[in-house]
Amino acid sequence: MDQKQIIHRYLSIQRDALLAKLDGLGERDVRWPMTPTGTNLLGLVKHVANVELGYFGEVFDRPSDVPLLWLDDDAEINADMWATADESREEIVALYQQAATQADATIAVLTLDSPGRVPWWPPEREQIMVHVSVEMARHAGHADILRELIDGTAGNKDGNLPDQSAEEWAAYRKRLEETALEVERRTESAV
């Protein structure tokens, strides 16, 4: 495999990992803001669809026919980070899949070092495929944490976490809490 194929493979794995975090959850749970800044699972899916449409579309002069309404001058702040009540999960997932298909077509016809111009980047920063792959992995990691907070589901579908019971995980977490408190006490007593 050449470098482009390797990066594309990892991008595809992260796409699948992010989308899998929606599986089995209701509409409320996929939309529920889990952080003070409103991060939510369906919003992450919508956001990375926007990222791929932009970076593998406009940046390489290969725009899609998808109107990116959240980029309009009158769009609400963070409009790409959440789904409105009028946007269904199915529509957001279809957008995500359309964005991946468009990105894959761009990746197929360009070389890894094909020049693309991101208006807000300095000219020497041109590794767009690497950038998008890293951003996708970052958001898939966010989704891992959000899903665990929602219903306790953690890790990948292929079982990349140790096989422990709920009681064993609780004991592990308790140990970490105790360690954090011990270090806090040591730090405070040293002052």
Side-chain angles (χ1 to χ4, degrees):
M1 244 191 256
D2 67 19
Q3 289 293 339
K4 182 173 101 169
Q5 291 170 317
I6 292 168
I7 295 169
H8 192 200
R9 180 175 160 264
Y10 278 98
L11 174 61
S12 296
I13 289 168
Q14 295 305 317
R15 284 178 183 152
D16 292 344
L18 176 58
L19 201 56
K21 294 301 173 181
L22 302 178
D23 292 348
L25 292 177
E27 289 299 321
R28 177 192 175 278
D29 286 338
V30 299
R31 295 165 183 272
W32 195 257
M34 299 297 297
T35 68
T37 58
T39 306
N40 63 89
L41 288 171
L42 199 56
L44 288 173
V45 173
K46 184 178 177 182
H47 174 68
V48 296
N50 174 50
V51 167
E52 290 206 52
L53 286 168
Y55 283 109
F56 291 118
E58 302 293 332
V59 166
F60 288 108
D61 198 26
R62 296 175 53 87
S64 74
D65 59 352
V66 176
L68 303 177
L69 302 177
W70 48 89
L71 295 180
D72 289 349
D73 289 339
D74 63 342
E76 188 174 336
I77 292 174
N78 287 332
D80 71 323
M81 293 297 293
W82 64 286
T84 69
D86 294 329
E87 294 174 311
S88 71
R89 176 198 312 223
E90 292 75 20
E91 289 171 329
I92 300 298
V93 169
L95 173 68
Y96 181 79
Q97 292 167 333
Q98 184 177 3
T101 298
Q102 161 117 8
D104 289 345
T106 298
I107 292 166
V109 298
L110 299 176
T111 63
L112 189 56
D113 60 350
S114 290
R117 182 71 188 112
V118 180
W120 55 92
W121 283 5
E124 67 276 0
R125 185 175 168 198
E126 296 178 348
Q127 290 297 322
I128 292 162
M129 191 170 173
V130 173
H131 172 79
V132 173
S133 295
V134 169
E135 182 155 344
M136 181 67 70
R138 179 175 185 231
H139 292 311
H142 293 145
D144 282 340
I145 293 167
L146 296 183
R147 181 62 189 256
E148 187 173 355
L149 290 171
I150 291 169
D151 70 356
T153 300
N156 296 337
K157 290 185 284 187
D158 61 0
N160 64 321
L161 294 176
D163 185 20
Q164 296 200 93
S165 68
E167 294 78 20
E168 290 170 318
W169 281 116
Y172 172 70
R173 180 187 163 98
K174 181 73 173 156
R175 180 175 171 217
L176 298 180
E177 290 171 352
E178 290 168 355
T179 300
L181 291 171
E182 179 182 336
V183 171
E184 179 184 43
R185 282 189 298 274
R186 287 182 189 178
T187 305
E188 288 174 355
S189 68
V191 175

